[in-house]
Amino acid sequence: MSNQLSIGNELNDSFGETHKWVHNNLKWLRDIELFYRERAKLEHEYSERLSALTREYFTKKSNHSVPLSVGDSPAMTPGSVETAAVVAWNEVLTQTELISKDHWALSRDFEGQVANQLSKIHSKMDTTFNQICSFNGEMVEKREKAYHEVNKAKKNYDDACAAMENARNKNTKSPGERNKQKMEERKAEMNIAKNEYLIRINQANRIKDKFYFQDTPEVLDLLQDLNECRVLFLNDIWRTAGSVEKAAGERIAQKLSSAESVINENKPSLATAMFIKHNAKQWNEPKDFHFQPAPLWQDDDTFVISMESDVSDLRIKLAQAEKEYNKYQDLTQDEKARLSALNDKRGSIKSQEGELEGEVFYDVVRAYLNAVAPFTDHETLKLRAEVQIESIQNNVPAEFDLNTDNVDLSKIKKKSGLFSKLKNKTSILSSPVRSPSHLAPIKGRSRKISLFGTNVESSGGEGSANSSSILHTRSSSAVSIDNDSKSINTADTPSTRVTSTSPNNCNRVLFAFEGREADEVSIKVGDSISIIAGDTGSGWTRVKNDTTYEEGLVPTSYIEINEESSGSVGKAKPPTLPPPRGSNKIPRKLTVQYDYEAQEDNEMTVEAGETVNVVSEDDGSGWTLAESNGQRGLIPTSYCK
């Protein structure tokens, strides 16, 4: 039996067509059973009645040839070509018509050894068929549940945004401690709802991929194997019928041998190959879920971490996910080992197609089905936990501690208000963040998943990952600063984020910086620097690297200045640009505190004391889109209040 043919690999998301095809072939067993029972009766009437019966079943065969060979609605019609099983059946009818006058005692043998066996085979295979369909239904239900959770989380997030906007409007109209406190509560709830929404999106995408690239191919291959078992059983029945007829006399031995030779050519893989050939068609993968911004508030797909309550909620979610992941990781490891052994056995059996016994192959298929159902369920639960861990660890800034050692999940209620969460929040440890030791880095989602790497071809999509791996512990994060049209990339890691004192114990380099432009200079932690010209509000300071004897601009936020700059401007130094993300939301009208001269086409020049209208609020970049005197442009947020 060819181990290269796999409906799960070749016909993506074709459960409906494959289900009908296998169902048709199982129903066909009833037709054949009825044929042999009728034949047992007609043997008493010899050739005339038996000849009439064979003509009747020639007609039935002709009517069912297409659905039996390639399904009810194939992408390409087979014409006069029939599957090997239908051809074999045609040969059986032909030879039966030629021996219609032979031994009447065959009726007893046909009834007991053929018809009754077909009835038993149909009964147990139909039970297995329904079990496979139930298995598929459970996976579809889990996929739909994940989709529903995305929609539910989106609604909760939109409601929380609306509540936040109402609270902000009340505080703006009637400033007071109570309204301000209400606004902060709504903001915390909104941030939690957004984070939950993002987690549900990631979970739904990963579960969707698992459904279409792992679970559905498994179901299709199980249907394929069940149908190939049916072919093997049917071949055995036909051989039995042939043996019974041979015993009736040497006169019909030659005719039955001819029928048997055609039956022996009816390989299970031939039916599968013909079905695949005539049903192959274009299939497009369903689109991924993406974050949809709320109409009233935040408009990007990043986590919001602006207060300790946000981190506390995510830390609890992380602890819960780690517990679930470890639980199902242990379960799936044992189940995967058993499945691997059964899969090897299944492949070995299918490679010996000419000598394969139907009962042996059927037992292996049943054992595999009984093992893969709980494994798939546990894999889905593990995947949900894995995505939750990945989402939190990948999106919480490095300065926030995600250590879960002190989280007591037994004391955490399923539902609680904001104040109870703040009152019972988990204490933060100063030790580094740790994840389970067996977790490995994950790049993204796999577009095609195979349990054993034997029959699934993977293709890279938007990221790829092994189903058993998970996001690594956050030990570093990439920081990108775009200021004055200059791009700066740094690594905020333990090796660079230390505060190292320069030899003169005066100015210090806080972060390593590599100069990209001609007027910039490279610095690293530990270098001795001198200030040549201070920051005039552009976010850049001109320094001399006393270690390399080079001069140039460096980001002001990358150094600590403990001396008066020799070329500093006489006016007061403006605030550092830009402010950190998550700062308080800015009012609709702003008063400019410092002069600012536009340096880019999309910026606007303003003077201290000027009042401007906010067009688009600061999204965390440090810039606000404002309008004044008919002009519109970006101004530094920290230059206003």
Side-chain angles (χ1 to χ4, degrees), residues 513 517-523 530 532-533 540-545 550-555:
F513 168 69
E517 304 292 340
D519 59 347
E520 298 173 2
V521 63
S522 296
I523 56 175
S530 300
I532 297 177
W540 297 82
T541 297
R542 180 171 292 278
V543 303
K544 177 182 179 182
N545 189 332
E550 296 178 345
E551 296 182 5
L553 295 172
V554 298

mmCIF file of all heavy atoms in Angstrom, residues 513 517-523 530 532-533 540-545 550-555:
data_model
loop_
_atom_site.group_PDB
_atom_site.id
_atom_site.type_symbol
_atom_site.label_atom_id
_atom_site.label_comp_id
_atom_site.label_asym_id
_atom_site.label_seq_id
_atom_site.Cartn_x
_atom_site.Cartn_y
_atom_site.Cartn_z
ATOM 1 N N PHE A 513 25.569 53.102 21.631
ATOM 2 C CA PHE A 513 24.970 53.697 20.436
ATOM 3 C C PHE A 513 25.993 53.661 19.304
ATOM 4 O O PHE A 513 27.160 54.007 19.489
ATOM 5 C CB PHE A 513 24.552 55.151 20.711
ATOM 6 C CG PHE A 513 24.192 55.913 19.464
ATOM 7 C CD1 PHE A 513 23.050 55.593 18.759
ATOM 8 C CD2 PHE A 513 25.004 56.930 18.983
ATOM 9 C CE1 PHE A 513 22.711 56.280 17.607
ATOM 10 C CE2 PHE A 513 24.677 57.627 17.835
ATOM 11 C CZ PHE A 513 23.527 57.299 17.138
ATOM 12 N N GLU A 517 25.084 58.340 10.887
ATOM 13 C CA GLU A 517 25.280 59.465 9.980
ATOM 14 C C GLU A 517 26.681 60.046 10.176
ATOM 15 O O GLU A 517 27.373 59.759 11.153
ATOM 16 C CB GLU A 517 24.211 60.545 10.234
ATOM 17 C CG GLU A 517 22.786 60.047 10.128
ATOM 18 C CD GLU A 517 22.412 59.677 8.703
ATOM 19 O OE1 GLU A 517 23.107 60.167 7.786
ATOM 20 O OE2 GLU A 517 21.448 58.918 8.509
ATOM 21 N N ALA A 518 27.049 60.928 9.238
ATOM 22 C CA ALA A 518 28.394 61.499 9.268
ATOM 23 C C ALA A 518 28.624 62.379 10.498
ATOM 24 O O ALA A 518 29.755 62.491 10.984
ATOM 25 C CB ALA A 518 28.647 62.314 8.000
ATOM 26 N N ASP A 519 27.526 63.025 10.988
ATOM 27 C CA ASP A 519 27.685 63.915 12.129
ATOM 28 C C ASP A 519 27.409 63.222 13.458
ATOM 29 O O ASP A 519 27.277 63.877 14.489
ATOM 30 C CB ASP A 519 26.773 65.142 11.983
ATOM 31 C CG ASP A 519 25.314 64.754 11.866
ATOM 32 O OD1 ASP A 519 25.041 63.546 11.659
ATOM 33 O OD2 ASP A 519 24.447 65.641 11.964
ATOM 34 N N GLU A 520 27.282 61.886 13.471
ATOM 35 C CA GLU A 520 27.047 61.142 14.699
ATOM 36 C C GLU A 520 28.329 60.432 15.137
ATOM 37 O O GLU A 520 29.233 60.213 14.324
ATOM 38 C CB GLU A 520 25.927 60.105 14.500
ATOM 39 C CG GLU A 520 24.594 60.737 14.155
ATOM 40 C CD GLU A 520 23.534 59.706 13.804
ATOM 41 O OE1 GLU A 520 23.837 58.495 13.864
ATOM 42 O OE2 GLU A 520 22.420 60.107 13.443
ATOM 43 N N VAL A 521 28.397 60.075 16.414
ATOM 44 C CA VAL A 521 29.578 59.401 16.934
ATOM 45 C C VAL A 521 29.131 58.168 17.711
ATOM 46 O O VAL A 521 28.084 58.175 18.369
ATOM 47 C CB VAL A 521 30.408 60.345 17.842
ATOM 48 C CG1 VAL A 521 29.599 60.767 19.059
ATOM 49 C CG2 VAL A 521 31.708 59.672 18.281
ATOM 50 N N SER A 522 29.898 57.104 17.639
ATOM 51 C CA SER A 522 29.577 55.870 18.356
ATOM 52 C C SER A 522 30.094 55.947 19.782
ATOM 53 O O SER A 522 31.187 56.458 20.042
ATOM 54 C CB SER A 522 30.207 54.658 17.655
ATOM 55 O OG SER A 522 29.664 54.498 16.370
ATOM 56 N N ILE A 523 29.290 55.457 20.721
ATOM 57 C CA ILE A 523 29.693 55.375 22.126
ATOM 58 C C ILE A 523 29.284 54.020 22.668
ATOM 59 O O ILE A 523 28.412 53.361 22.113
ATOM 60 C CB ILE A 523 29.044 56.490 22.976
ATOM 61 C CG1 ILE A 523 27.515 56.436 22.836
ATOM 62 C CG2 ILE A 523 29.598 57.852 22.619
ATOM 63 C CD1 ILE A 523 26.768 57.403 23.730
ATOM 64 N N SER A 530 32.864 63.947 26.949
ATOM 65 C CA SER A 530 32.805 65.357 27.335
ATOM 66 C C SER A 530 31.714 66.018 26.510
ATOM 67 O O SER A 530 31.518 65.689 25.333
ATOM 68 C CB SER A 530 34.149 66.057 27.075
ATOM 69 O OG SER A 530 35.180 65.431 27.821
ATOM 70 N N ILE A 532 30.135 68.872 24.369
ATOM 71 C CA ILE A 532 30.556 69.997 23.526
ATOM 72 C C ILE A 532 29.405 70.971 23.351
ATOM 73 O O ILE A 532 29.574 72.180 23.503
ATOM 74 C CB ILE A 532 31.048 69.496 22.156
ATOM 75 C CG1 ILE A 532 32.284 68.599 22.349
ATOM 76 C CG2 ILE A 532 31.344 70.652 21.219
ATOM 77 C CD1 ILE A 532 32.794 68.001 21.069
ATOM 78 N N ALA A 533 28.202 70.472 23.021
ATOM 79 C CA ALA A 533 27.020 71.319 22.854
ATOM 80 C C ALA A 533 25.822 70.576 23.421
ATOM 81 O O ALA A 533 25.583 69.419 23.075
ATOM 82 C CB ALA A 533 26.792 71.665 21.383
ATOM 83 N N TRP A 540 19.211 65.466 20.745
ATOM 84 C CA TRP A 540 20.598 65.091 20.439
ATOM 85 C C TRP A 540 21.565 66.026 21.180
ATOM 86 O O TRP A 540 21.318 67.227 21.322
ATOM 87 C CB TRP A 540 20.877 65.164 18.940
ATOM 88 C CG TRP A 540 20.046 64.196 18.159
ATOM 89 C CD1 TRP A 540 18.763 64.357 17.753
ATOM 90 C CD2 TRP A 540 20.443 62.910 17.716
ATOM 91 N NE1 TRP A 540 18.323 63.251 17.082
ATOM 92 C CE2 TRP A 540 19.341 62.340 17.040
ATOM 93 C CE3 TRP A 540 21.627 62.171 17.821
ATOM 94 C CZ2 TRP A 540 19.387 61.081 16.474
ATOM 95 C CZ3 TRP A 540 21.678 60.912 17.252
ATOM 96 C CH2 TRP A 540 20.562 60.372 16.587
ATOM 97 N N THR A 541 22.663 65.484 21.624
ATOM 98 C CA THR A 541 23.716 66.250 22.315
ATOM 99 C C THR A 541 25.043 65.987 21.604
ATOM 100 O O THR A 541 25.348 64.831 21.267
ATOM 101 C CB THR A 541 23.823 65.823 23.789
ATOM 102 O OG1 THR A 541 22.596 66.117 24.452
ATOM 103 C CG2 THR A 541 24.972 66.542 24.484
ATOM 104 N N ARG A 542 25.805 67.053 21.379
ATOM 105 C CA ARG A 542 27.119 66.884 20.737
ATOM 106 C C ARG A 542 28.150 66.614 21.822
ATOM 107 O O ARG A 542 28.253 67.362 22.787
ATOM 108 C CB ARG A 542 27.518 68.110 19.930
ATOM 109 C CG ARG A 542 28.887 68.003 19.239
ATOM 110 C CD ARG A 542 29.123 69.153 18.289
ATOM 111 N NE ARG A 542 28.231 69.091 17.157
ATOM 112 C CZ ARG A 542 28.431 68.333 16.084
ATOM 113 N NH1 ARG A 542 29.531 67.583 16.003
ATOM 114 N NH2 ARG A 542 27.577 68.323 15.093
ATOM 115 N N VAL A 543 28.894 65.506 21.671
ATOM 116 C CA VAL A 543 29.873 65.103 22.680
ATOM 117 C C VAL A 543 31.196 64.768 22.005
ATOM 118 O O VAL A 543 31.283 64.590 20.791
ATOM 119 C CB VAL A 543 29.379 63.875 23.485
ATOM 120 C CG1 VAL A 543 28.039 64.148 24.132
ATOM 121 C CG2 VAL A 543 29.309 62.637 22.607
ATOM 122 N N LYS A 544 32.239 64.665 22.854
ATOM 123 C CA LYS A 544 33.521 64.141 22.420
ATOM 124 C C LYS A 544 33.754 62.836 23.176
ATOM 125 O O LYS A 544 33.656 62.786 24.393
ATOM 126 C CB LYS A 544 34.659 65.120 22.722
ATOM 127 C CG LYS A 544 36.044 64.563 22.350
ATOM 128 C CD LYS A 544 37.162 65.532 22.715
ATOM 129 C CE LYS A 544 38.527 64.943 22.368
ATOM 130 N NZ LYS A 544 39.630 65.849 22.762
ATOM 131 N N ASN A 545 34.007 61.765 22.425
ATOM 132 C CA ASN A 545 34.326 60.477 23.039
ATOM 133 C C ASN A 545 35.807 60.493 23.385
ATOM 134 O O ASN A 545 36.674 60.349 22.508
ATOM 135 C CB ASN A 545 33.996 59.325 22.079
ATOM 136 C CG ASN A 545 34.106 57.976 22.767
ATOM 137 O OD1 ASN A 545 34.858 57.801 23.718
ATOM 138 N ND2 ASN A 545 33.357 56.998 22.257
ATOM 139 N N GLU A 550 36.795 60.849 19.141
ATOM 140 C CA GLU A 550 35.887 61.244 18.065
ATOM 141 C C GLU A 550 34.812 62.156 18.623
ATOM 142 O O GLU A 550 34.433 62.069 19.791
ATOM 143 C CB GLU A 550 35.241 60.013 17.420
ATOM 144 C CG GLU A 550 36.247 59.091 16.729
ATOM 145 C CD GLU A 550 35.571 57.859 16.155
ATOM 146 O OE1 GLU A 550 34.410 57.593 16.540
ATOM 147 O OE2 GLU A 550 36.192 57.171 15.325
ATOM 148 N N GLU A 551 34.305 63.066 17.733
ATOM 149 C CA GLU A 551 33.255 63.991 18.119
ATOM 150 C C GLU A 551 32.027 63.767 17.254
ATOM 151 O O GLU A 551 32.133 63.362 16.101
ATOM 152 C CB GLU A 551 33.729 65.449 17.969
ATOM 153 C CG GLU A 551 34.878 65.833 18.881
ATOM 154 C CD GLU A 551 35.259 67.303 18.705
ATOM 155 O OE1 GLU A 551 34.544 68.006 17.948
ATOM 156 O OE2 GLU A 551 36.253 67.742 19.312
ATOM 157 N N GLY A 552 30.834 64.072 17.834
ATOM 158 C CA GLY A 552 29.610 63.953 17.054
ATOM 159 C C GLY A 552 28.383 63.941 17.947
ATOM 160 O O GLY A 552 28.467 64.114 19.161
ATOM 161 N N LEU A 553 27.224 63.755 17.305
ATOM 162 C CA LEU A 553 25.948 63.753 18.014
ATOM 163 C C LEU A 553 25.625 62.368 18.558
ATOM 164 O O LEU A 553 25.914 61.355 17.924
ATOM 165 C CB LEU A 553 24.821 64.208 17.082
ATOM 166 C CG LEU A 553 24.898 65.649 16.573
ATOM 167 C CD1 LEU A 553 23.839 65.881 15.506
ATOM 168 C CD2 LEU A 553 24.722 66.635 17.723
ATOM 169 N N VAL A 554 25.002 62.338 19.753
ATOM 170 C CA VAL A 554 24.475 61.097 20.337
ATOM 171 C C VAL A 554 23.098 61.407 20.913
ATOM 172 O O VAL A 554 22.811 62.568 21.238
ATOM 173 C CB VAL A 554 25.391 60.534 21.447
ATOM 174 C CG1 VAL A 554 26.746 60.169 20.893
ATOM 175 C CG2 VAL A 554 25.522 61.529 22.601
ATOM 176 N N PRO A 555 22.206 60.426 21.053
ATOM 177 C CA PRO A 555 20.894 60.676 21.670
ATOM 178 C C PRO A 555 21.066 61.102 23.129
ATOM 179 O O PRO A 555 21.794 60.465 23.895
ATOM 180 C CB PRO A 555 20.194 59.314 21.579
ATOM 181 C CG PRO A 555 20.911 58.578 20.496
ATOM 182 C CD PRO A 555 22.324 59.035 20.559
#
